[in-house]
Amino acid sequence: PDLRRIDRQAAAAWKEVDVAEADRWPRLSLTGSVGRTRASGGGGLVFEGTTWSVGPSLSIPLFDGQRRSAAVDAARARYEEARSRYAQRARDAVREVETALVDLNAAERRQSDAERAVQGYEAFLEAQRRRTEAGAGSLLELEDARRTALAARSTLIGIEADRVQAWVDLYR
């Protein structure tokens, strides 16, 4: 929507250039009027009728101190500014989409790695639990394995949040 708004502003600025250019040329207009008239004179005489008039008007911009030329230059400058703003916003939009796609791709790759790590640490925790129950491992080793598995799950959750944020950025 913001890119479309800036595009419309650039189109409006171009129309202003057209208007300023047209203002530099001679202008011929034809005006007219039609009306009803009623006049009363002495002795009870009443005159009624329709009046009309038509007349041309010619405007030739000869001596305006370059005012119209300056108006055209100003309109062109506003158009160039609007066009530059549009181009900059278009580049920004492409950059934002590319960044979101890169972030999404990276988050998906990291997520698959983190899922494998969680599976490995869960298997290690289960093996450590069996070792401890069999009397071959210590409670400290079991808690260390639990802490490591929990950290891997926490990392996976953070990566999933990054992936969701990358999708939000991409859609936005």
Side-chain angles (χ1 to χ4, degrees), residues 39-141:
S40 58
L45 291 173
V46 176
F47 298 102
E48 288 187 23
T50 304
T51 62
W52 58 274
S53 67
V54 176
S57 171
L58 180 62
S59 170
I60 302 175
L62 293 176
F63 305 107
D64 65 354
Q66 299 295 318
R67 181 184 60 81
R68 287 181 175 94
S69 179
V72 170
D73 291 343
R76 282 193 178 130
R78 285 190 299 273
Y79 170 70
E80 288 301 320
E81 177 188 7
R83 193 173 64 91
S84 295
R85 209 175 320 122
Y86 175 79
Q88 180 61 44
R89 185 59 196 120
R91 283 190 298 271
D92 290 346
V94 169
R95 181 184 43 79
E96 289 170 2
V97 169
E98 286 176 343
T99 301
L101 285 172
V102 167
D103 290 348
L104 181 62
N105 187 13
E108 287 176 350
R109 280 192 317 233
R110 286 189 345 234
Q111 183 176 358
S112 65
D113 292 344
E115 287 171 348
R116 281 195 302 273
V118 166
Q119 290 171 354
Y121 285 123
E122 291 288 333
F124 175 68
L125 175 62
E126 184 59 33
Q128 195 63 33
R129 185 177 297 128
R130 286 186 191 147
R131 238 180 117 221
T132 303
E133 288 172 357
S138 70
L139 195 55
L140 182 62
E141 290 172 339

Side-chain angles (χ1 to χ4, degrees), residues 137-169:
S138 70
L139 195 55
L140 182 62
E141 290 172 339
L142 177 64
E143 289 307 314
D144 189 42
R146 185 174 289 132
R147 181 188 55 78
T148 305
L150 185 61
R153 275 190 236 128
S154 179
T155 300
L156 177 62
I157 290 170
I159 291 171
E160 287 174 349
D162 290 346
R163 187 178 58 82
V164 168
Q165 184 61 48
W167 273 112
V168 168
D169 291 344

Side-chain angles (χ1 to χ4, degrees), residues 15-26 68-69 71-73 75-76:
K15 292 299 178 186
E16 288 178 14
V17 171
D18 285 345
V19 169
E21 276 287 344
D23 196 34
R24 294 177 66 187
W25 299 100
R68 287 181 175 94
S69 179
V72 170
D73 291 343
R76 282 193 178 130

